[in-house]
Amino acid sequence: VGESGCGKSTTAYAILGLEPVTSGNISFAGRDITALDRSARRALAGEMQIVFQDPSAALDPKMRIADSIAEPLAIAGASRAEQRRRVAELLDRVGLAASHGARTPDALSGGQRQRVVVARALALSPKLVILDEPVSALDVSIRSQILNLLMQLQRELELAYLFISHDLSVVRHIADEAIVMYLGTAVEKGPIDELFRSPRHPYTQALLSAIPL
């Protein structure tokens, strides 16, 4: 959690290998992944997926929803039959009907598009899903639905989430632990309840004081 420009998304992209790591290292599932070559990074890709902030920008406007969800499966070499089976399963899991698969993104609401992006992120059964402000572009009435879906999926699929947000009230709803970032540095971290109960860093205190009652 932290303000815009503090380095939250850059951290996520470094974990995914989309940004170079200038110092330090990144460990995932017990091994250092900082300097993987292209083939090793590709093999790891199925274990890490990301859900971006804007579902409209994350989907090809000309591609059918079913094809968008099936794309990572096709890249991984799944058969057409396996792709169809998995797409139907994923649409159901995120609360969409099979008929949604034949539509294009412009025929869906913002909340439905974000469900599609979540389904696509789950296609390869990842261990870690990075959620980069996944509800900030949605109407307030839809946010709680998507958050509840994410928590349900986490329980059912035993997923690990890295949830990025500037909104501590949302973070409190979904997170077990939190890292507060300020000007490119992690200034505080700990269990979410402890962070709310006794914040130590002045920036964390300022974030908490800004939460609407």
Side-chain angles (χ1 to χ4, degrees):
V1 64
E3 63 189 357
S4 296
C6 72
K8 303 186 302 295
S9 294
T10 301
T11 301
Y13 298 159
I15 292 170
L16 291 166
L18 303 176
E19 286 280 351
V21 176
T22 53
S23 64
N25 60 11
I26 299 168
S27 294
F28 176 73
R31 66 174 176 140
D32 186 353
I33 63 168
T34 312
L36 295 180
D37 60 24
R38 183 184 293 270
S39 61
R41 174 57 71 174
R42 182 172 182 137
L44 186 67
E47 299 185 37
M48 296 181 179
Q49 293 293 308
I50 186 168
V51 172
F52 292 103
Q53 176 179 356
D54 184 358
S56 298
L59 295 170
D60 186 329
K62 297 180 181 179
M63 189 179 286
R64 294 188 320 135
I65 295 305
D67 295 332
S68 289
I69 297 173
E71 190 172 29
L73 295 164
I75 293 171
S79 67
R80 290 294 182 94
E82 173 61 17
Q83 291 176 41
R84 288 193 294 271
R85 184 198 67 78
R86 184 72 172 137
V87 167
E89 175 187 305
L90 289 165
L91 285 170
D92 180 65
R93 192 173 281 281
V94 299
L96 294 174
S99 59
H100 286 109
R103 303 180 188 180
T104 52
D106 64 338
L108 302 182
S109 67
Q112 289 172 330
R113 285 193 291 268
Q114 194 63 300
R115 289 173 188 266
V116 170
V117 175
V118 170
R120 186 174 64 185
L122 297 177
L124 297 178
S125 301
K127 295 177 181 177
L128 170 68
V129 178
I130 295 175
L131 301 153
D132 192 358
E133 306 221 28
V135 296
S136 62
L138 302 176
D139 292 341
V140 173
S141 60
I142 305 299
R143 290 182 188 178
S144 62
Q145 296 177 23
I146 299 300
L147 287 173
N148 288 334
L149 171 66
L150 291 171
M151 290 190 291
Q152 177 186 337
L153 292 170
Q154 186 179 43
R155 289 192 303 270
E156 293 175 354
L157 302 176
E158 299 182 344
L159 296 166
Y161 286 159
L162 177 60
F163 189 96
I164 297 170
S165 181
H166 62 271
D167 188 340
L168 263 177
S169 60
V170 170
V171 171
R172 188 176 197 179
H173 186 62
I174 198 169
D176 299 303
E177 295 183 297
I179 295 174
V180 179
M181 294 191 70
Y182 180 64
L183 299 180
T185 302
V187 296
E188 186 164 0
K189 65 178 180 178
I192 192 69
D193 291 337
E194 181 180 317
L195 205 73
F196 270 76
R197 186 170 57 251
S198 54
R200 298 180 180 180
H201 195 274
Y203 180 67
T204 309
Q205 296 167 7
L207 282 177
L208 290 171
S209 67
I211 296 176
L213 298 177

